[in-house]
Amino acid sequence: MSSTYTEDLMSVIKSRTSVRNYDSNKKITKEELEDILSFTTLAPSAWNLQHWHFTVFHSDQSKQQLLPIAYNQNQIVESSAVIAILGDLEANKNTETVYEPLVHAGYMSAEIKETLAKQINGAYTNETFARDAAFSNASLAAMQLMLTAKAKGFDTCAIGGFNKEGFVKEFNISDRYVPVMLITIGKAVKPAHKSNRLDVKQVSTWL
C-alpha cells in the first residue's frame, strides 16, 4: 500500500463527522448514489451473506413522507438524500446466490458449499442469532457507506432515533428486513460541532 493511499484513507476517516445541517440546494444524482452503494456492498459480512438492503429516499416527496417518522428532524428534508439501512433477517437465503458461482468457477467444491449451507441454515433457526447478525453486518455496510460518501465529497449523519415500527408500516417493508438506521447524505452548510473521543487506554484492554 502506497503512503499516499494510506494518507488519503486516514484523512477520510479523520474528516468524517456527523453533519446535521445541509445545503438544501445541493443535489446528488441517482448515479452518484448508486456509485456510493456499489462501494458500500464491498463491506465484509459473516459467511459473505451480505445482510443488508437499502431503501433510498431521493425525491423531495419521499423525504417529506419520511420526515414525521424521523421525528421531524430537519436534516431529513435538507439533505440531498436519505438511505435507510435494513438488516436481512433471512440472509441464509442468499447462500445459493453467493456460493454457487464459486463452485462453478472451481473455487469451492459442491461438498463444501453443502456443508456451509447446512451450518448457516442451522444457525438461522435461532431468531436471536438472525437478528444480531442482521444488525451487526448491516452496520458494517453503514460505516462503509459513510466513509465512501466522505471520500467522494459528501457529508453524512447516522440516525438511530426514528420510529422503526412506523417506518415498516409506512413503506411496506418486508418482514424479512429490520430497520437499523437512517443515513442522511449531502453537503454541509456549516461544520459539525466539535466532539471528543475517549482515549484509547479507556476503551481497550490488553492481555
Side-chain angles (χ1 to χ4, degrees):
M1 182 181 294
S2 71
S3 60
T4 300
Y5 184 90
T6 302
E7 289 166 5
D8 287 347
L9 176 59
M10 296 301 105
S11 176
V12 168
I13 292 172
K14 287 182 177 180
S15 62
R16 185 217 59 81
T17 55
S18 295
V19 168
R20 295 173 177 82
N21 300 103
Y22 295 94
D23 183 345
S24 59
N25 294 315
K26 294 292 184 181
K27 304 298 181 184
I28 185 170
T29 67
K30 181 180 180 182
E31 290 73 25
E32 287 173 316
L33 286 168
E34 287 178 336
D35 187 39
I36 289 170
L37 289 175
S38 72
F39 281 93
T40 299
T41 61
L42 298 177
S45 60
W47 284 307
N48 194 30
L49 293 178
Q50 301 164 56
H51 315 55
W52 44 69
H53 189 84
F54 311 108
T55 302
V56 183
F57 298 85
H58 192 206
S59 68
D60 291 340
Q61 179 181 353
S62 67
K63 288 184 287 180
Q64 285 289 347
Q65 190 177 359
L66 177 62
L67 183 62
I69 291 168
Y71 305 130
N72 295 307
Q73 298 178 67
N74 283 338
Q75 60 175 302
I76 296 295
V77 290
E78 291 177 348
S79 63
S80 302
V82 183
I83 299 175
I85 308 294
L86 309 181
D88 189 352
L89 297 169
E90 300 174 10
N92 57 309
K93 292 181 177 179
N94 296 338
T95 305
E96 190 71 18
T97 304
V98 168
Y99 293 140
E100 189 58 29
L102 298 179
V103 174
H104 281 297
Y107 297 125
M108 177 184 290
S109 69
E111 292 76 18
I112 290 176
K113 188 195 86 168
E114 292 305 317
T115 298
L116 284 171
K118 186 176 294 185
Q119 291 174 349
I120 291 165
N121 287 322
Y124 272 79
T125 61
N126 184 320
E127 291 185 3
T128 299
F129 172 88
R131 184 175 177 84
D132 288 348
F135 271 83
S136 61
N137 289 282
S139 294
L140 290 172
M143 191 69 250
Q144 186 123 324
L145 188 156
M146 289 184 282
L147 291 176
T148 300
K150 189 62 183 176
K152 291 182 174 291
F154 293 99
D155 299 293
T156 57
C157 182
I159 301 173
F162 64 102
N163 184 338
K164 295 178 174 61
E165 293 78 14
F167 181 91
V168 168
K169 183 177 180 180
E170 181 70 20
F171 301 107
N172 299 312
I173 303 301
S174 165
D175 290 343
R176 176 170 176 167
Y177 302 106
V178 57
V180 175
M181 70 183 79
L182 306 175
I183 298 178
T184 51
I185 179 170
K187 298 281 191 176
V189 74
K190 65 178 182 179
H193 64 75
K194 199 70 176 174
S195 64
N196 295 321
R197 297 298 180 201
L198 297 174
D199 188 272
V200 171
K201 291 182 177 62
Q202 292 180 265
V203 296
S204 60
T205 300
W206 296 67
L207 304 175

